[in-house]
């Protein structure tokens, strides 16, 4: 399947982070493109993961790294506008605080085993993954606004808005992983877990 991702425009305490400025981790160039207006990325969700042992044996393709030296300093909040119709178990897309493949915090829209869609906040530290919070989507939508905000020096607060005019809902909070890559941490876009596809159509 395909997701479309845009970073929100700068507004009050939220900052715009350009998805088009960054680099790919394990790029598969046939499975991503710029949107028609050139201001968003369209990425195919294909088999793979960043989660624990499965992520090490079948790593996700097309993780978009958005390193920014301001993150945790001047840049303390980021919001992702996501169009995602996740339909296969484990298929997911979202925003990460990212230090490395072994150390990250992710806020994703994910299809659960029973077919329901959930907003999941999870952390992986030293390669050990843990779910912090899981909130099921209360209404059917393909549109999400996912937000990560740094509170203090090392705590992340995650919220989400469903649809075009929904209320902001708290998803959870967690400490950022302590790791040697801490100083080079940034943001990332992840989209993976779908059935194999040949193109973005």
């Amino acid at each position: 399947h395909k997701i479309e991702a845009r970073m929100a425009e700068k507004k009050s305490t939220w900052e715009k982070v350009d998805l088009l400025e960054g680099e790919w981790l394990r790029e598969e160039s046939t499975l991503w493109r710029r949107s028609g207006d050139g201001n968003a990325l369209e990425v195919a969700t294909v088999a793979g993961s960043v989660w624990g042992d499965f992520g090490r044996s079948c790593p996700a393709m097309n993780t978009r790294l958005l390193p920014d030296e301001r993150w945790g300093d001047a840049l303390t909040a980021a919001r992702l506008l996501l169009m995602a119709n996740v339909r296969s178990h484990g298929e997911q897309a979202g925003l990460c605080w990212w230090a490395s493949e072994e150390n990250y915090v992710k806020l994703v829209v994910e299809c659960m085993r029973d077919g329901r869609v959930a907003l999941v906040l999870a952390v992986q530290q030293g390669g050990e993954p843990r779910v912090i919070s899981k909130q099921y989507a209360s209404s059917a939508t393909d549109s999400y606004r996912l937000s990560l905000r740094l509170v203090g020096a090392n705590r992340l607060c995650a919220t989400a808005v469903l649809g075009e005019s929904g209320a902001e809902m708290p998803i959870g909070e967690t400490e950022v992983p302590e790791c040697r890559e801490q100083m080079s941490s940034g943001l990332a876009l992840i989209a993976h877990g779908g059935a194999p596809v040949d193109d973005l159509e």
Side-chain angles (χ1 to χ4, degrees):
H1 302 127
K2 178 181 70 176
I3 66 103
E4 180 182 290
R6 301 170 184 262
M7 296 304 290
E9 296 295 328
K10 185 175 180 180
K11 184 183 297 184
S12 64
T13 59
W14 301 102
E15 292 277 352
K16 179 180 179 181
V17 181
D18 193 347
L19 287 170
L20 306 179
E21 297 295 329
E23 60 185 45
W24 291 106
L25 178 63
R26 287 184 296 274
E27 179 185 13
E28 176 49 71
S29 61
T30 63
L31 297 179
W32 75 271
R33 66 187 176 195
R34 292 191 182 207
S35 63
D37 63 11
N39 295 321
L41 289 180
E42 296 177 354
V43 186
T45 56
V46 295
S49 180
V50 294
W51 190 251
D53 290 338
F54 182 54
R56 287 183 280 273
S57 63
C58 185
M61 305 294 291
N62 283 349
T63 296
R64 186 67 166 174
L65 303 180
L66 308 163
D68 193 312
E69 66 277 4
R70 297 176 302 153
W71 178 248
D73 183 10
L75 177 58
T76 58
R79 180 174 289 171
L80 180 72
L81 307 183
L82 191 68
M83 296 297 296
N85 185 6
V86 291
R87 299 193 297 272
S88 303
H89 174 223
E91 187 178 16
Q92 60 190 268
L95 183 63
C96 291
W97 172 91
W98 184 276
S100 70
E101 292 185 82
E102 299 294 298
N103 298 282
Y104 62 81
V105 176
K106 69 175 182 176
L107 173 60
V108 296
V109 178
E110 182 175 355
C111 183
M112 298 290 107
R113 189 179 301 275
D114 61 5
R116 290 189 292 170
V117 173
L119 295 127
V120 179
L121 177 66
V123 61
Q124 180 156 286
Q125 181 167 4
E128 295 297 322
R130 179 167 56 99
V131 173
I132 302 299
S133 176
K134 179 169 61 177
Q135 304 283 342
Y136 284 98
S138 58
S139 58
T141 182
D142 294 340
S143 174
Y144 305 87
R145 292 172 174 84
L146 306 181
S147 303
L148 286 177
R149 178 167 53 89
L150 193 62
V151 180
N154 65 346
R155 191 164 186 83
L156 282 170
C157 175
T159 59
V161 174
L162 278 63
E164 295 298 320
S165 58
E168 187 170 62
M169 57 186 291
I171 305 301
E173 295 188 15
T174 185
E175 302 291 329
V176 299
E178 293 184 6
C179 58
R180 60 183 176 83
E181 302 96 347
Q182 196 91 13
M183 295 303 295
S184 61
S185 64
L187 297 170
L189 166 70
I190 61 172
H192 59 256
V197 296
D198 296 323
D199 54 43
L200 279 161
E201 299 304 327

